[in-house]
């Protein structure tokens, strides 16, 4: 019997890896490489920093619980902590930008902060819509918005902030 008309036997292993097999090799290399894996790891850690600081502030700041300022203040403080953590980890470990020269930092710091301010605006708007308008629990809204922010920040970090000269 001719077996050339039969589909290949399914590969053993994790379903995620099997799903990636259907993508072109260039797309797989873009999605699964040292940089993206480290970005996800440090993105999760940045989210933990943001979430922990946000929750701590939300439940300890001396602002009335029915005031929209509580949500916004807690979120801004958590943002500052997360940005400081993210800059160092992205520069050093993820995108391996080795230079700490003034010229390099004069590019990286303002563009990093600008990108983070953009994603902060997205996060604040989303948090206001979800928490204050839709009455979603703060913790759930915070996790959802952080996923969106990680995606926005990766694209901006990869294509603008820590872009390597050979990527141009």
């Amino acid at each position: 019997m001719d077996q050339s008309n039969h589909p290949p036997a399914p590969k053993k292993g994790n379903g995620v890896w099997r799903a990636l097999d259907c993508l072109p090799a260039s797309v797989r290399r873009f999605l699964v490489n040292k940089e993206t894996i480290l970005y996800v790891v440090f993105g999760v850690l940045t989210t933990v920093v943001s979430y922990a600081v946000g929750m701590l502030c939300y439940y300890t700041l001396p602002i009335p619980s029915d005031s929209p300022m509580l949500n916004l203040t807690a979120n801004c403080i958590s943002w500052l902590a997360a940005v400081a953590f993210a800059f160092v980890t992205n520069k050093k470990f993820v995108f391996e930008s080795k230079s700490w020269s003034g010229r390099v930092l004069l590019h990286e710091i303002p563009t990093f902060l600008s990108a983070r301010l953009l994603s902060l605006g997205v996060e604040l708007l989303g948090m206001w819509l979800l928490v204050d308008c839709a009455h979603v629990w703060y913790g759930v809204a915070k996790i959802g918005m952080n996923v969106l922010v990680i995606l926005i920040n990766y694209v901006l970090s990869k294509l603008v902030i820590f872009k390597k000269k050979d990527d141009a």
Side-chain angles (χ1 to χ4, degrees):
M1 180 160 118
D2 181 20
Q3 294 188 5
S4 62
N5 292 330
H6 296 286
K11 293 183 179 181
K12 294 180 181 178
N14 188 315
V16 171
W17 298 115
R18 286 196 340 232
L20 290 174
D21 284 342
C22 70
L23 299 172
S26 60
V27 173
R28 283 195 312 270
R29 281 191 301 277
F30 177 77
L31 292 175
V32 182
N33 59 62
K34 178 183 172 189
E35 182 181 274
T36 56
I37 291 169
L38 285 173
Y39 192 83
V40 168
V41 168
F42 286 110
V44 168
L45 292 174
T46 300
T47 300
V48 169
V49 168
S50 179
Y51 187 80
V53 171
M55 293 298 280
L56 178 68
C57 291
Y58 190 80
Y59 289 106
T60 61
L61 287 173
I63 300 172
S65 62
D66 61 345
S67 171
M69 289 309 298
L70 176 59
N71 168 29
L72 297 177
T73 304
N75 207 58
C76 285
I77 294 169
S78 75
W79 180 82
L80 289 170
V83 166
F85 179 81
F87 179 78
V88 173
T89 58
N90 276 240
K91 178 173 179 57
K92 185 172 175 106
F93 301 112
V94 177
F95 298 103
E96 298 177 347
S97 175
K98 305 224 185 288
S99 176
W100 291 88
S101 74
R103 185 182 66 76
V104 170
L105 292 176
L106 279 174
H107 166 74
E108 291 176 348
I109 291 173
T111 54
F112 190 85
L113 290 174
S114 296
R116 291 313 201 252
L117 284 169
L118 173 67
S119 64
L120 173 64
V122 170
E123 184 175 4
L124 288 174
L125 177 61
M127 290 298 289
W128 175 73
L129 289 169
L130 292 169
V131 174
D132 297 319
C133 297
H135 306 289
V136 173
W137 180 59
Y138 181 89
V140 170
K142 186 75 174 156
I143 290 171
M145 289 310 302
N146 270 278
V147 169
L148 178 60
V149 165
I150 287 171
L151 294 172
I152 291 169
N153 289 338
Y154 177 75
V155 169
L156 293 174
S157 291
K158 172 81 175 164
L159 300 180
V160 179
I161 302 161
F162 300 111
K163 184 176 183 175
K164 292 177 177 61
K165 288 182 182 172
D166 57 345
D167 289 345

